[in-house]
Amino acid sequence: MMNYFPDEVLEHVFDSIASHKDRNSVSLVCKSWYRIERYSRRRVFIGNCYSISPERLIARFPGLKSLTLKGKPHFADFNLVPYDWGGFVYPWIKALAESGIGLEELRLKRMVVSDESLELLSKSFANFKSLVLVSCEGFSADGLAAVAANCRFLRELDLQENEVDDHRGHWLSCFPESCTSLVSLNFACLKGEVNLGALERLVSRSPNLKSLRLNRLVPLDTLQKLLMRAPQLVDLGIGSYVHDPSSEASNKLKHAIQRCKSIVSLSGFLEVAPRCMSAIYPICGNLTTLNLSYAPGLHGNKLTKLIQHCRKLQRLWILDRIGDKGLGVVASTCKELQELRVFPSDPFGAGNDAVTEEGLVLVSAGCPKLNSLLYFCQQMTNAALITVARNCPNFIRFRLCILDPVKPDPVTNQPLDEGFGAIVQSCKRLKRLSLSGLLTDQVFLYIGMYAEQLEMLSIAFAADSDKGMLYVLNGCKKLRKLEIRDCPFGNSALLEDVGKYETMRSLWMSSCEVTLGGCKTVAEKMPSLNVEIINESDQTEFNLDEGQKVDKMYLYRTLVGHRKDAPESVWIL
Amino acid sequence: MSSENGKLLPETDAGGLNFEATELTLGLPGESRVTSDGVAKLGSKRGFSETVDLSLGDNKNTNKFGQSQIDVPEAAKSPVSKAQVVGWPPVRGYAKRRTKSCKYVKVAVDGAPYLRKVDLEMYNTYQQLLTSLEDMFSCFTIRNYLSDKKLDQVNGIEYVPTYEDKDGDWMLVGDVPWQMFVESCKRLRLMKSSEAVGLAAPRTPPKCSSAS
């Protein structure tokens, strides 16, 4: 019996439980554990901002310090969701501000963030320390200026791949002289100029600065000055990197880079000339993370020469211009590699520089620790996938994107069912899977049978019938997110087990065979789900025919019913 | 790769291999998916090529994959072609990674048997470009009207860098700001000094020293 432990002791024990899942489990044990856990909870992760309301969050966790919120569905990244669909952060910030909660950290993904929200945020939380915005939109440099000016103890301002209207670069000058607490500053995604003098002074007075990612318009001489002032950097994102290797500026840069002995993560190169890369060689030996995916100018010998210096690499993001041969160099050099992402540099082109199954096989053979993959390629074969599955049984994330999404195995002309089947059978810890290529119902049978730990599955242009979807829904017990586009899945798959959707975060289906009637049935049977129909056509009257196929459906479990902020194009059943 | 596999595309009949099961149908959504003999087609999914050119929403963000659309029938024959589908390939930040930042122009040198190509986006200044051209055509020297500094003479023939602009006129390299030059330059020509008399900038004394 745990009754004789004072609350403080239990609290102390719970402190050492970091994972959200575990803390959630702890709170379910009994009433007193629930009570103690909720008062001591500091960090909350909300994977779908419409699954709960800010009021209920605040009521349950009054001691909240760090909040992570995600908004739009994943397919919003690929232009499949209307821009005004939702995911507004303002109501959250307003509620938190009015509640007296001492928020210190806010991490947002795919949310709409207005300048007004940033301003309110900056003025409402005296101890605010960390703002991380990933794939967000709706704000301008004015919002950033408010954060810079008002958050006196700001440690982290991390902007990743946001759409920002930042033609005014004044925001950086808004950091007061008294702000010396910065640990991480990332503005690589901004398109406008910043005040370079202000940037230099800011870096000079930030002795704890560990991570600095610059945008494209920070010139080389500024980079050199910044490096001289911050040799303690651990993570560097270079903006513009074009210089004449024989020039004085280049020598000064080399010297500055060499002083930065702690850099283990390098990214950016938003503008780069290949012949300049040799200045980086001295620090390559320490790198564990390298992101060259924004540098289409780097390829061929210059690229492979660079890679050959990076023996400690654990994470590599690169463009497919590296080619199969280049991946061979990765395979023979980067024995510690865990994560590889190969992005397409020219998705609609002839694919001369692209990678094929050969590159992947080479990496799988040379890098046994590989556990996370995102691979855009021209083609894939079953034989290659089977080999990869055998070489790398540790995959946690396996995302394959063949640029022609219905392409069969070019050698045998068969669908890729067997190849992906080998992956799910071999990789017992697989949590995330994205499929492409020609696929029949068979691959879903394999997934249902073997992918026991699968939490997220992305399907496009695959399957022959409802059976495919049913195999997955019946078999994958841990499934949380399922996103499907352009597959022949209809009402009988959708309606087979509607209770399943309550065990998942969300289901997306677009350009499938489900009808309005089918979606309505789900909504009727499951009041704990929001079933949204997204209709962006120009029809002035909604076609209310139950047999009408639904273009886009997004359903998700929620504790707070229909949301009130949906635009006209979204119909909540 | 695609040409090798041309005959093995699912749409074509490649004798002996059963493609009917996976054949893409081209019917519009809602149309009957039944073959002529009344049996429901297995491959009743909406084919990849059908989704080409469908406007699936007018987004504030312009379609990042927007290039010229291709007719559906043409796309049906070769899905490996430039057909575009909204949201495919599924890559975010695509616009930033595109090789749109590549501006390749042809470089012709009087007397050289073949042309080269340079990517103007690789350089930030005229000096960098000219140095690179010198590396490329290492046996020539290039007259640089921007600075008085003479470039190393190797075999004594001087070349004047010129370019054809958007209007089709041949201009001397170096007069306009770099970015403006990059935007308007269509091709480069290294002209022999002796022929460039008409383009010589008045402030630099014309020094047409040509050796054999």
Side-chain angles (χ1 to χ4, degrees):
Chain A
M1 293 225 293
M2 297 294 258
N3 294 357
Y4 48 82
F5 276 146
D7 287 0
E8 294 78 27
V9 173
L10 280 175
E11 221 182 276
H12 193 67
V13 171
F14 295 167
D15 267 350
S16 59
I17 299 170
S19 112
H20 292 292
K21 271 199 193 117
D22 290 341
R23 285 202 73 119
N24 292 346
S25 304
V26 157
S27 69
L28 292 173
V29 167
C30 64
K31 278 194 182 149
S32 71
W33 279 37
Y34 177 88
R35 176 179 46 85
I36 296 167
E37 197 281 323
R38 67 177 264 256
Y39 281 111
S40 61
R41 179 94 129 204
R42 300 285 169 258
R43 318 180 66 88
V44 173
F45 169 88
I46 297 177
N48 173 6
C49 63
Y50 290 118
S51 61
I52 192 70
S53 70
E55 290 73 28
R56 285 181 65 161
L57 169 74
I58 292 163
R60 181 168 170 191
F61 299 115
L64 183 67
K65 294 258 178 283
S66 162
L67 177 62
T68 302
L69 279 172
K70 294 190 178 180
K72 297 184 189 180
H74 176 227
F75 277 0
D77 283 356
F78 318 130
N79 285 2
L80 290 178
V81 174
Y83 77 95
D84 57 354
W85 173 86
F88 306 104
V89 76
Y90 184 78
W92 291 86
I93 296 181
K94 181 157 181 285
L96 287 162
E98 285 165 6
S99 71
I101 284 211
L103 193 70
E104 293 182 9
E105 179 178 299
L106 187 61
R107 309 169 73 96
L108 305 176
K109 186 166 185 180
R110 282 190 216 103
M111 296 206 59
V112 177
V113 181
S114 61
D115 283 342
E116 208 189 344
S117 354
L118 289 177
E119 211 172 323
L120 183 59
L121 174 76
S122 71
K123 292 185 176 153
S124 308
F125 307 105
N127 230 12
F128 192 77
K129 295 197 170 73
S130 170
L131 181 63
V132 180
L133 302 178
V134 180
S135 303
C136 296
E137 61 187 356
F139 60 104
S140 75
D142 290 346
L144 297 176
V147 172
N150 301 327
C151 299
R152 295 170 51 213
F153 304 112
L154 195 68
R155 287 200 199 147
E156 181 174 25
L157 180 59
D158 184 358
L159 307 171
Q160 298 175 33
E161 304 219 349
N162 302 288
E163 295 285 339
V164 186
D165 171 20
D166 73 306
H167 50 268
R168 300 215 297 148
H170 66 301
W171 64 276
L172 208 102
S173 320
C174 295
F175 281 103
E177 290 299 314
S178 54
C179 175
T180 58
S181 47
L182 269 184
V183 174
S184 168
L185 178 63
N186 172 8
F187 61 94
C189 64
L190 298 188
K191 302 183 209 78
E193 287 180 346
V194 293
N195 183 321
L196 298 177
L199 176 59
E200 286 173 44
R201 288 189 296 278
L202 179 62
V203 169
S204 297
R205 64 176 186 276
S206 303
N208 297 323
L209 194 67
K210 291 279 185 292
S211 171
L212 179 63
R213 297 193 184 190
L214 309 168
N215 77 350
R216 199 185 156 112
L217 293 179
V218 176
L220 206 80
D221 57 336
T222 305
L223 171 64
Q224 185 261 335
K225 287 183 198 154
L226 295 173
L227 292 178
M228 289 302 284
R229 286 167 220 253
Q232 77 283 3
L233 281 179
V234 168
D235 168 33
L236 175 64
I238 291 181
S240 167
Y241 194 69
V242 180
H243 54 96
D244 182 357
S246 57
S247 68
E248 176 62 25
S250 182
N251 282 333
K252 282 171 87 172
L253 181 68
K254 255 188 226 171
H255 171 68
I257 290 177
Q258 274 170 355
R259 288 178 73 233
C260 298
K261 301 200 188 302
S262 306
I263 292 182
V264 294
S265 167
L266 197 56
S267 63
F269 297 100
L270 306 173
E271 210 174 60
V272 64
R275 62 215 154 90
C276 310
M277 296 312 283
S278 52
I280 306 263
Y281 292 167
I283 58 166
C284 284
N286 293 332
L287 292 181
T288 55
T289 299
L290 180 60
N291 181 355
L292 297 173
S293 64
Y294 285 101
L298 274 182
H299 53 101
N301 288 342
K302 290 288 196 288
L303 178 55
T304 48
K305 232 183 146 195
L306 176 69
I307 302 268
Q308 278 167 331
H309 283 82
C310 303
R311 305 205 143 265
K312 287 197 190 159
L313 223 48
Q314 295 173 16
R315 184 187 302 162
L316 176 63
W317 291 22
I318 196 103
L319 286 172
D320 60 2
R321 303 195 84 180
I322 190 173
D324 289 331
K325 278 216 188 87
L327 288 177
V329 173
V330 172
S332 50
T333 309
C334 310
K335 295 304 181 187
E336 301 298 312
L337 198 68
Q338 295 176 27
E339 176 177 325
L340 175 66
R341 295 198 187 187
V342 180
F343 293 95
S345 55
D346 190 13
F348 310 113
N352 292 325
D353 294 318
V355 296
T356 70
E357 76 278 9
E358 288 178 19
L360 183 59
V361 169
L362 288 171
V363 174
S364 75
C367 309
K369 296 188 182 176
L370 198 62
N371 62 39
S372 176
L373 181 76
L374 173 60
Y375 197 74
F376 286 83
C377 57
Q378 285 293 321
Q379 62 181 48
M380 186 52 57
T381 65
N382 283 311
L385 284 174
I386 291 167
T387 304
V388 169
R390 193 176 53 235
N391 290 340
C392 295
N394 297 320
F395 274 115
I396 300 172
R397 274 169 242 109
F398 192 89
R399 299 158 67 188
L400 188 72
C401 178
I402 303 170
L403 293 173
D404 172 1
V406 293
K407 190 165 179 160
D409 178 331
V411 173
T412 64
N413 241 77
Q414 294 300 302
L416 291 175
D417 302 333
E418 298 305 312
F420 280 106
I423 294 284
V424 292
Q425 198 173 351
S426 165
C427 304
K428 309 219 186 299
R429 274 175 274 178
L430 195 68
K431 285 192 180 171
R432 183 169 180 184
L433 178 64
S434 299
L435 307 168
S436 62
L438 189 65
L439 296 163
T440 72
D441 288 342
Q442 184 70 13
V443 70
F444 299 103
L445 175 65
Y446 291 141
I447 292 172
M449 271 173 66
Y450 295 114
E452 290 174 8
Q453 302 300 317
L454 197 65
E455 295 181 7
M456 182 170 177
L457 179 62
S458 309
I459 312 172
F461 303 101
D464 308 311
S465 74
D466 284 337
K467 282 202 222 139
M469 186 166 166
L470 289 171
Y471 290 142
V472 171
L473 291 176
N474 291 334
C476 300
K477 300 297 177 204
K478 298 207 175 170
L479 196 62
R480 293 192 296 116
K481 287 181 279 181
L482 180 57
E483 46 186 27
I484 304 169
R485 65 165 291 180
D486 295 274
C487 294
F489 302 142
N491 291 342
S492 51
L494 180 68
L495 297 174
E496 166 95 355
D497 176 14
V498 293
K500 169 83 176 173
Y501 307 129
E502 214 176 28
T503 69
M504 292 165 55
R505 184 188 299 173
S506 64
L507 168 67
W508 168 283
M509 294 180 75
S510 59
S511 305
C512 295
E513 305 285 314
V514 295
T515 69
L516 185 56
C519 298
K520 276 188 175 172
T521 307
V522 178
E524 272 159 25
K525 289 189 173 175
M526 299 293 296
S528 58
L529 302 177
N530 276 356
V531 181
E532 299 190 2
I533 308 295
I534 299 171
N535 183 359
E536 292 173 279
S537 68
D538 292 335
Q539 291 172 320
T540 43
E541 9 173 309
F542 252 134
N543 185 347
L544 296 177
D545 172 17
E546 306 263 306
Q548 168 85 6
K549 287 218 179 84
V550 158
D551 197 29
K552 293 171 190 171
M553 178 204 71
Y554 180 56
L555 63 80
Y556 51 89
R557 68 180 176 192
T558 177
L559 294 174
V560 291
H562 289 187
R563 61 186 174 110
K564 308 282 185 297
D565 60 0
E568 271 191 30
S569 55
V570 175
W571 187 16
I572 306 181
L573 298 178
Chain B
M1 275 171 283
S2 46
S3 54
E4 280 172 27
N5 297 329
K7 59 179 165 65
L8 298 178
L9 288 175
E11 285 76 8
T12 61
D13 182 10
L17 294 166
N18 174 22
F19 285 116
E20 273 98 26
T22 55
E23 191 173 333
L24 301 178
T25 62
L26 294 178
L28 291 171
E31 264 186 24
S32 161
R33 304 271 181 201
V34 173
T35 57
S36 54
D37 63 0
V39 175
K41 270 191 177 166
L42 287 177
S44 60
K45 60 177 174 274
R46 182 174 311 166
F48 171 56
S49 17
E50 289 168 32
T51 58
V52 171
D53 213 30
L54 292 179
S55 341
L56 295 176
D58 208 26
N59 282 340
K60 181 180 91 167
N61 295 325
T62 52
N63 187 341
K64 292 189 174 106
F65 315 100
Q67 290 176 8
S68 61
Q69 302 280 2
I70 294 188
D71 289 340
V72 172
E74 198 180 305
K77 286 181 197 147
S78 52
V80 195
S81 73
K82 315 286 183 286
Q84 261 117 81
V85 172
V86 173
W88 193 269
V91 54
R92 189 188 159 90
Y94 166 65
K96 295 176 205 168
R97 291 194 174 101
R98 277 176 58 172
T99 48
K100 177 186 139 187
S101 67
C102 264
K103 205 204 153 152
Y104 277 99
V105 296
K106 289 183 188 171
V107 184
V109 177
D110 288 353
Y114 51 79
L115 280 62
R116 298 292 300 268
K117 263 201 166 166
V118 290
D119 176 8
L120 293 180
E121 292 281 345
M122 252 344 114
Y123 313 102
N124 271 351
T125 65
Y126 284 113
Q127 188 58 58
Q128 287 174 4
L129 171 64
L130 295 177
T131 308
S132 182
L133 289 178
E134 274 218 328
D135 288 344
M136 249 187 210
F137 299 97
S138 51
C139 48
F140 308 131
T141 62
I142 301 172
R143 184 60 184 258
N144 185 349
Y145 281 104
L146 292 174
S147 63
D148 287 329
K149 175 184 85 171
K150 247 331 242 288
L151 305 175
D152 265 345
Q153 295 219 14
V154 174
N155 79 357
I157 300 180
E158 269 192 5
Y159 286 80
V160 174
T162 65
Y163 71 101
E164 185 184 3
D165 73 357
K166 280 184 179 158
D167 300 324
D169 297 318
W170 284 94
M171 318 284 291
L172 184 66
V173 166
D175 286 335
V176 300
W178 169 257
Q179 208 48 48
M180 200 184 288
F181 161 72
V182 171
E183 267 152 43
S184 59
C185 171
K186 278 171 44 185
R187 47 162 56 191
L188 285 161
R189 178 182 165 203
L190 302 184
M191 205 182 262
K192 278 201 183 130
S193 262
S194 51
E195 289 181 29
V197 166
L199 289 178
R203 57 186 166 89
T204 358
K207 227 177 180 187
C208 306
S209 56
S210 53
S212 60

